[in-house]
Amino acid sequence: MDPLLVITNSDAGTDDELQLERALAILRERTSVEVCATSDPGELDGVLHRAGSRRIVVAGGDGSMHAVVAALHRRRELSEAVLGLLPLGTGNDFARGNDIPLDVEEAARVVLHGRPRQMDLILDEVGEIVVNSVHAGAGAQASRRADRWKDRLHRVGVGGVNLGKLGYPIGALIASVKPPYVRLRVEVDGEVVVDYDEPILMIAVGNGSSVGGGTELVPEADARDGLMDVMIARTVGPLQRVGYLAALVRGTHHERDDVLYLRGRQVTIDGEEFYCSADGEVYGPERRRTWRVEPAAYCLVLP
């Protein structure tokens, strides 16, 4: 098998380091492995510059996967890349949505014995990428608040369980009490599906199905079908919010009458100021954003 270059985060905790060692023991039975820890884009770019023909394995969560894919895209090397993933993050939503085992030893065996599959990528108008999903409105507000709780709870464990995974549900609950309704025009493939006169709770554009450690925001999304799934919640009343939140927990919210669920190749939103959460990173305020799908942008080793 080709040699592997495993890229991990310099800020990984002790538990992540122990899990990584378990995975490395399996990988090294079959091939040579170099591990490089990076802490910023400059270090990551330097590591990728000397990757050569080695297969790159991302050891981390959605943020780490985003960072590596974004760096390869900037270097114009993504289309030739074949990546592997060892899920060591808090949420691991991208791994979860693509059937990569969350057990790191099983994930290592997928790296060794799985098949490279072509994966779609989401791009915005300024060239930034989205690997898993991006959302605006109450979902982004939940992510902003979740980051605070995730940091607090990440250091707490019960029986080896990382409580940082509770960050997004807590953030979503807080955001649902006083959600940031926004008035936006939403276009999908050039057709206006929501206009300014109709306030919305949130909009999600998904390449992967879940966020926040397993909350299936766009449950039917498939990162290999050449389309983005678009979920628009027009849930503004107090009772509607309660029902929506309950359905969100069950993964059935997209079946509600006050929710639009669409698929398309390009999505544009504009209107009053809004924040976005893309692969867990929150940015804004924004007034307009356009995302398009780039089918078969790279390859990922899957079961």
Side-chain angles (χ1 to χ4, degrees), residues 104-277:
V104 71
E105 292 177 297
E106 290 300 317
R109 294 185 179 95
V110 170
V111 170
L112 293 174
H113 306 295
R115 294 177 55 193
R117 304 293 182 91
Q118 292 182 324
M119 306 294 290
D120 301 337
L121 189 67
I122 296 174
L123 297 167
D124 68 16
E125 70 269 48
V126 297
E128 295 297 321
I129 65 103
V130 178
V131 173
N132 189 54
S133 72
V134 57
H135 46 94
Q141 184 70 1
S143 293
R144 294 177 70 192
R145 290 167 172 164
D147 284 343
R148 304 171 194 168
W149 283 98
K150 185 169 71 174
D151 290 340
R152 295 171 186 171
L153 295 171
H154 187 71
R155 297 185 294 270
V156 181
V158 177
V161 177
N162 180 5
L163 296 185
K165 296 179 181 180
L166 296 177
Y168 188 84
I170 291 173
L173 180 61
I174 296 172
S176 71
V177 176
K178 189 179 179 181
Y181 305 131
V182 287
R183 292 185 180 273
L184 302 173
R185 172 181 288 166
V186 182
E187 296 182 16
V188 178
D189 290 343
E191 178 183 351
V192 176
V193 295
V194 172
D195 216 332
Y196 304 120
D197 59 345
E198 187 174 12
I200 65 173
L201 180 68
M202 68 176 299
I203 173 173
V205 179
N207 198 31
S209 59
S210 71
V211 300
T215 301
E216 293 197 340
L217 199 54
V218 279
E220 298 177 11
D222 182 346
R224 302 189 297 278
D225 66 359
L227 297 170
M228 299 177 291
D229 282 37
V230 185
M231 189 280 299
I232 306 168
R234 301 168 295 175
T235 313
V236 296
L239 291 179
Q240 285 180 306
R241 285 204 310 272
V242 172
Y244 174 82
L245 188 58
L248 180 63
V249 172
R250 296 193 302 268
T252 60
H253 58 290
H254 61 303
E255 300 172 357
R256 289 172 54 92
D257 292 339
D258 55 8
V259 172
L260 291 177
Y261 198 91
L262 310 161
R263 288 189 176 90
R265 293 180 172 83
Q266 180 168 301
V267 178
T268 297
I269 62 175
D270 69 82
E272 64 184 34
E273 289 187 345
F274 57 89
Y275 282 85
C276 294
S277 177

Side-chain angles (χ1 to χ4, degrees), residues 5 7-8 36-51 56 58 63-72 74-75:
L5 174 62
I7 299 177
T8 187
C36 290
T38 66
S39 61
D40 59 56
E43 286 186 355
L44 176 58
D45 193 63
V47 168
L48 293 175
H49 184 69
R50 58 184 181 82
I56 297 167
V58 180
S64 298
M65 187 70 183
H66 175 103
V68 172
V69 172
L72 289 168
R74 287 193 301 270
R75 294 173 58 86

